[in-house]
Amino acid sequence: MTTLLALDTATEACSVALLHDGRVTSHYEVIPRLHAQRLLPMIKALLDSQGVTLSALDAIAFGRGPGAFTGVRIAIGVVQGLAFALDRPVLPVSNLAVLAQRSLREHGASQVAAAIDARMDEVYWGCYRAEQGEMRLVGAEAVLAPEQAQLPTDATSEWFGAGTGWGTFAPRIAAQVSARDDGMLPHAEDLLSLARFAWARDEAVVADQAQPIYLRDKVATPKMPPPAGF
C-alpha cells in the first residue's frame, strides 16, 4: 500500500498528515511564528506513533502556497531536504485547493470560493468545484483586490466562502456566497486527500521541483540543506 506524508506551514496553522496501510492520521496546531521549531518534531512524532520510518515513505506532499512567504519557505526547505535525502518524489498542492477540500470535508460544500488574506490590501483567490470527491480549480488562482474577486462566469447554485480573506475583507468581496467559514486555515489532512488524487494520476515530481507559488512575486527559492533531527 502507498505511504504518503503531507505537511503544511503556509498560514498560521502548522499541520502534518500520514497515509499508511490505508489509514490517515494527522496533527494540526495553530501556532503563528513557531512553524520552524515545531514542524520536524511534529513529523517525527506522527511517524513514530504509527511505527513508520522515513524510508517507508513513497512520496511527500506539501502546501506550495499561496500563503505567508516565510511559512511556504519552511515547508519547501523541509520537503527538499527529506526528498533529496530519501530520493523520493514530491507532490506540490495549492493551499487554496486545500481550503476548498477542507470545506468539502467539514461543510459538505461542493462549490467553494477560497480566499487567503494576502496582506497589502489583497487576497489570494481561487474557485473550486467537487468532482468525484476532489476539489478542482475553476479558472485560475490570483492575487487581487477584494473588489475584483469574482465567481466563475458559469456559476450556478450555492457557493461557500472559506478562508481568512473572507474574515478580513468580506464586506468588500464582490462575489456572493450562501455561507462562509472566515477562520478556516489549510489542514494537512485535506492536503493529503488532494495528494492521493495526484499520486493516482502519476503527477509526482522530483525534489528539484518542490517550489513555491507566491502569485504576487516570482521569488527564487534556493535549495535547502537536509533537515537534522531524524
Side-chain angles (χ1 to χ4, degrees):
M1 283 189 173
T2 301
T3 298
L4 299 177
L5 175 69
L7 57 95
D8 182 63
T9 57
T11 65
E12 298 91 329
C14 181
S15 59
V16 295
L18 178 71
L19 170 68
H20 180 65
D21 284 342
R23 180 168 175 261
V24 173
T25 51
S26 64
H27 186 74
Y28 173 93
E29 295 182 32
V30 178
I31 47 172
R33 296 177 295 280
L34 293 176
H35 301 66
Q37 295 96 310
R38 289 289 297 134
L39 180 58
L40 285 173
M42 284 172 65
I43 293 171
K44 189 174 190 304
L46 183 63
L47 293 174
D48 289 349
S49 72
Q50 301 305 308
V52 176
T53 62
L54 283 169
S55 61
L57 298 177
D58 292 299
I60 304 167
F62 66 99
R64 52 99 166 130
F69 176 84
T70 301
V72 175
R73 282 178 60 89
I74 290 169
I76 296 295
V78 170
V79 167
Q80 285 191 343
L82 290 174
F84 279 119
L86 299 169
D87 191 24
R88 295 294 189 273
V90 299
L91 293 157
V93 178
S94 161
N95 282 93
L96 289 167
V98 176
L99 282 178
Q101 194 73 25
R102 185 172 183 180
S103 299
L104 176 64
R105 175 172 63 89
E106 294 187 351
H107 299 279
S110 60
Q111 297 189 119
V112 177
I116 296 174
D117 186 348
R119 313 304 178 189
M120 297 176 66
D121 210 36
E122 293 179 316
V123 293
Y124 296 123
W125 180 262
C127 296
Y128 297 82
R129 285 196 183 104
E131 295 183 28
Q132 299 180 324
E134 178 186 15
M135 297 304 288
R136 297 183 182 176
L137 180 64
V138 181
E141 295 180 346
V143 58
L144 37 71
E147 292 82 1
Q148 296 177 318
Q150 297 181 349
L151 298 178
T153 55
D154 64 346
T156 59
S157 190
E158 295 183 341
W159 283 74
F160 185 84
T164 56
W166 287 99
T168 305
F169 298 112
R172 295 171 52 192
I173 293 177
Q176 297 296 309
V177 295
S178 57
R180 304 196 318 253
D181 186 335
D182 295 350
M184 182 181 287
L185 297 169
H187 193 308
E189 181 175 339
D190 306 291
L191 195 159
L192 183 59
S193 294
L194 293 168
R196 293 175 74 175
F197 286 108
W199 178 257
R201 291 191 294 264
D202 196 26
E203 293 176 356
V205 298
V206 297
D208 271 339
Q209 293 176 276
Q211 297 296 331
I213 295 294
Y214 295 114
L215 296 182
R216 178 186 289 126
D217 302 308
K218 298 186 182 301
V219 181
T221 304
K223 295 184 181 67
M224 308 294 277
F230 286 93

